[in-house]
Amino acid sequence: MKDIIVTIARQYGSGGKTVGQMYAKKNGIPCHERDILRIASDESGINEALFAQVDEKLVNGSLFGISKKIYKGELLPPSSDEFTSPQNLFNYQAKVIRELADQGPRVFIGRCADFVLADRPNVVSVFVHADPEYCLARAHERNSMSTADMEKFIAKTDKFRGDFYRYYTGKEWNDARNYDLCLNSGKLGFEKCVEAIEAYIKVRFGES
């Protein structure tokens, strides 16, 4: 399926990352997630640890407020006092996403990639979700926590993803209107989610 970019947003425990990786492997294309931070660090000269630290501050809610820093594409120079601000760090990540998208078909997991690439006609944005019970069961497969602690962890992670998305896009992360395709992995399973993405692409773009 040439030149098609797939972006994946996902609830924690829904397996959206796995769906994206499976789609990428099946179609022989790259899949990007945390490596975007490393590339952004290399391009900007900003220590990769700073990118991770901003994410951690966002998780703890210390940078989110009423105001939003909606991505518009600008980059601040090293001489700016705001060069290592959360906004500029995100802008470098967005720059990397756009540059990678220029190189051919691939999958992006998270990082508001659907919004960053919204102006491109060859992008398919997907939101993977599932019932709370399903997400909880899958999360327990990877983490050793009590059910109560796991429920809190899932809620905190999804809140972070929603806050992160709202902060940089001005939109709601779990609003179906932001995506081309919303898939319930608990009902479809991972393989069927991949097939659903491929079927959508075939109908929309006429790709075989």
Side-chain angles (χ1 to χ4, degrees):
M1 297 181 179
K2 65 177 184 179
D3 300 329
I4 303 299
I5 305 294
V6 175
T7 69
I8 304 282
R10 75 284 188 214
Q11 287 182 316
Y12 188 86
S14 68
K17 179 179 178 179
T18 301
V19 170
Q21 291 172 333
M22 288 174 62
Y23 172 89
K25 182 177 180 179
K26 183 177 180 180
N27 289 278
I29 60 177
C31 182
H32 302 286
E33 189 196 14
R34 297 287 298 181
D35 61 316
I36 291 171
L37 302 186
R38 175 184 55 77
I39 300 171
S41 172
D42 291 342
E43 287 201 7
S44 65
I46 299 172
N47 192 309
E48 185 178 347
L50 287 178
F51 288 88
Q53 287 172 12
V54 167
D55 272 7
E56 182 60 31
K57 289 179 181 178
L58 294 176
V59 168
N60 294 326
S62 60
L63 290 180
F64 290 134
I66 297 175
S67 64
K68 301 178 181 67
K69 302 295 183 181
I70 298 174
Y71 167 72
K72 296 180 180 178
E74 69 279 2
L75 288 171
L76 299 176
S79 59
S80 171
D81 292 338
E82 298 296 315
F83 182 60
T84 59
S85 66
Q87 178 62 43
N88 205 42
L89 294 180
F90 178 81
N91 289 352
Y92 267 103
Q93 295 174 57
K95 177 176 181 287
V96 169
I97 290 171
R98 294 184 67 85
E99 289 174 345
L100 290 172
D102 287 338
Q103 297 174 22
R106 57 200 62 231
V107 175
F108 293 101
I109 309 291
R111 316 314 298 182
C112 303
D114 59 290
F115 185 82
V116 172
L117 300 173
D119 60 328
R120 304 197 180 199
N122 63 327
V123 172
V124 173
S125 57
V126 180
F127 185 81
V128 180
H129 62 99
D131 295 336
E133 295 79 10
Y134 179 85
C135 292
L136 181 63
R138 280 206 71 256
H140 269 309
E141 294 174 1
R142 297 187 298 167
N143 300 278
S144 178
M145 296 183 188
S146 68
T147 296
D149 286 342
M150 183 61 72
E151 288 175 339
K152 292 178 182 178
F153 180 77
I154 291 173
K156 181 179 181 179
T157 302
D158 282 347
K159 182 180 185 302
F160 159 68
R161 290 176 179 175
D163 289 345
F164 185 95
Y165 193 87
R166 186 184 309 110
Y167 188 72
Y168 290 117
T169 72
K171 297 184 178 183
E172 295 301 316
W173 166 71
N174 59 356
D175 187 339
R177 293 172 295 183
N178 295 328
Y179 306 96
D180 298 312
L181 198 60
C182 294
L183 301 173
N184 187 325
S185 58
K187 294 181 178 179
L188 289 176
F190 298 158
E191 290 186 6
K192 292 295 184 183
C193 282
V194 172
E195 291 175 11
I197 295 171
E198 292 176 331
Y200 174 86
I201 290 172
K202 184 176 181 180
V203 170
R204 178 174 163 185
F205 299 100
E207 295 285 345
S208 59

